[in-house]
Amino acid sequence: MAKLNFRYGAMNCGKSDTMISAAYNYTENGLAVVTIMPELAMRKPGFTTSRAGKEWPVDIATNDETAIRDEYHRFIGERLIHCVLVDEANFMTPQQIDDLEKIAKLDDTSVIAYGLRSDVQRRLFAGSQRLFELSDNIDKMITMCTCGRQAEYNGRFVNGGFHVGEPIVMIDNDQTSVRYQSMCANCYHDNSQSPGAITA
């Protein structure tokens, strides 16, 4: 029986980089993969990209209305798929995570989902919560805070100021003044008390 696997961590822990490496390793060995990613999280349309500069084409770009299992079957046809790789799974709906579990269990195809655990207010993303509930294997990917402690949370800076208020989701790219930083709890609290910080 295939497994649903969830690999999570704070930002900058190498989730996308690891997924891209997995896709490369499968295909290099002649094994077929399908890549899935929410469209809103794409820095480059049609691709998942890592902060290290790697990129990989996304086969199925989703929004909140995408019926993932139906779209998956339309995409693969009669082909044999060895693994489904999902980036930014935290942005998916609980129903879409249910579809990923069905791909693993009913279609007997391994699924590896990568994503953040919690948002900038340190609350579980809905997709991540459902992955914690359904996944067979859950692995934490480690990254470090700038102070040297292990990072657990995601801080956000807008125009240089700490900003973890609404809106919860802002995509950082070269055209915005939004910057994310993985943080330990101490640094998160310290920044939340800084002058001008927006926390709600």
Side-chain angles (χ1 to χ4, degrees), residues 38-109:
E39 194 169 30
L40 72 84
M42 293 179 183
R43 294 185 182 85
K44 179 178 179 180
F47 288 83
T48 180
T49 57
S50 76
R51 295 177 190 276
K54 297 179 183 178
E55 62 180 40
W56 191 270
V58 173
D59 297 312
I60 301 173
T62 68
N63 57 46
D64 285 351
E65 306 305 316
T66 304
I68 286 180
R69 189 169 179 234
D70 291 344
E71 190 65 27
Y72 169 76
H73 281 288
R74 277 193 292 271
F75 180 80
I76 68 170
E78 299 300 316
R79 291 184 298 147
L80 173 64
I81 302 300
H82 294 88
C83 188
V84 174
L85 299 169
V86 185
D87 202 8
E88 304 288 1
N90 48 283
F91 290 123
M92 292 182 170
T93 67
Q95 293 75 21
Q96 290 172 330
I97 302 303
D98 289 350
D99 270 358
L100 294 179
E101 193 237 5
K102 289 174 183 175
I103 291 171
K105 301 307 177 184
L106 302 183
D107 302 326
D108 199 25
T109 303

Side-chain angles (χ1 to χ4, degrees), residues 37-188:
M37 183 179 181
E39 194 169 30
L40 72 84
M42 293 179 183
R43 294 185 182 85
K44 179 178 179 180
F47 288 83
T48 180
T49 57
S50 76
R51 295 177 190 276
K54 297 179 183 178
E55 62 180 40
W56 191 270
V58 173
D59 297 312
I60 301 173
T62 68
N63 57 46
D64 285 351
E65 306 305 316
T66 304
I68 286 180
R69 189 169 179 234
D70 291 344
E71 190 65 27
Y72 169 76
H73 281 288
R74 277 193 292 271
F75 180 80
I76 68 170
E78 299 300 316
R79 291 184 298 147
L80 173 64
I81 302 300
H82 294 88
C83 188
V84 174
L85 299 169
V86 185
D87 202 8
E88 304 288 1
N90 48 283
F91 290 123
M92 292 182 170
T93 67
Q95 293 75 21
Q96 290 172 330
I97 302 303
D98 289 350
D99 270 358
L100 294 179
E101 193 237 5
K102 289 174 183 175
I103 291 171
K105 301 307 177 184
L106 302 183
D107 302 326
D108 199 25
T109 303
S110 295
V111 177
I112 307 174
Y114 299 84
L116 301 171
R117 175 179 62 178
S118 55
D119 63 27
V120 293
Q121 294 185 351
R122 302 186 301 166
R123 295 185 175 93
L124 284 176
F125 283 102
S128 299
Q129 178 176 332
R130 193 64 176 143
L131 279 162
F132 279 117
E133 292 166 347
L134 296 181
S135 294
D136 299 291
N137 300 306
I138 298 171
D139 297 306
K140 182 177 183 179
M141 301 178 69
I142 304 301
T143 192
M144 306 306 293
C145 180
T146 56
C147 72
R149 299 184 184 95
Q150 184 172 305
E152 302 290 348
Y153 305 116
N154 306 301
R156 180 176 63 205
F157 296 84
V158 178
N159 295 319
F162 191 68
H163 187 308
V164 295
E166 298 292 339
I168 295 299
V169 177
M170 297 180 184
I171 303 302
D172 59 331
N173 56 44
D174 294 337
Q175 285 74 48
T176 70
S177 59
V178 179
R179 178 177 63 85
Y180 286 89
Q181 182 177 315
S182 48
M183 293 181 169
C184 67
N186 300 62
C187 289
Y188 185 97

